[in-house]
Amino acid sequence: MTVRAIRGATQLDADDAAHLLERTAELMTTVLDRNELTPDDVISIFLTATPDLRSAFPAVAVRQLGITDVPMMCAQEIGVAGALPRVVRLMAHVETTKPRSAMRHVYLHGTTVLRDDLADR
């Protein structure tokens, strides 16, 4: 097995706790599905939120999916002028036999502009 990192992001319509949890859960499940992974393959998850998101911790959404034994950390994304607002990002470290080139990064709800080179179309 090899350790790989998978990136992802999603944008929210508003800073609402239920909406943040829904979009973050969708992001995490899409990362797992598109990469044919199970929660047991996940080593750790780093989540960030832009400074305009304060309603909930994104890690709560991942825990609500049943992924409770994986180390997670939430942080605030740096506030760069003109940056895309209301964005939750994640970087998941996983164990897999797939090569780096086979990792499918996930950009949902308008976030493909963040990494057009990595976004799965």
Side-chain angles (χ1 to χ4, degrees):
M1 289 285 188
T2 302
V3 176
R4 300 284 182 217
I6 302 170
R7 290 288 314 269
T10 190
Q11 187 177 37
L12 281 64
D13 299 325
D15 184 22
D16 172 77
H19 185 54
L20 185 144
L21 297 176
E22 176 187 336
R23 289 274 171 101
T24 304
E26 175 191 27
L27 178 61
M28 188 69 226
T29 57
T30 305
V31 164
L32 293 174
D33 292 347
R34 287 191 185 168
N35 289 283
E36 300 174 332
L37 297 166
T38 69
D40 287 338
D41 299 319
V42 181
I43 297 168
S44 64
I45 304 168
F46 186 64
L47 298 136
T48 66
T50 51
D52 51 3
L53 295 177
R54 299 169 184 243
S55 60
F57 291 107
V60 170
V62 179
R63 286 190 205 104
Q64 288 177 345
L65 293 173
I67 304 173
T68 58
D69 61 348
V70 171
M72 286 181 260
M73 182 175 285
C74 291
Q76 186 178 79
E77 193 71 35
I78 59 172
V80 175
L84 196 62
R86 300 176 316 280
V87 175
V88 172
R89 292 172 173 86
L90 75 72
M91 182 166 52
H93 298 96
V94 300
E95 289 183 312
T96 182
T97 58
K98 294 180 181 182
R100 185 183 328 228
S101 61
M103 296 296 92
R104 296 181 66 197
H105 306 281
V106 176
Y107 291 86
L108 304 173
H109 303 287
T111 59
T112 56
V113 298
L114 297 173
R115 285 300 304 262
D116 192 37
D117 59 321
L118 292 180
D120 196 19
R121 294 176 202 264

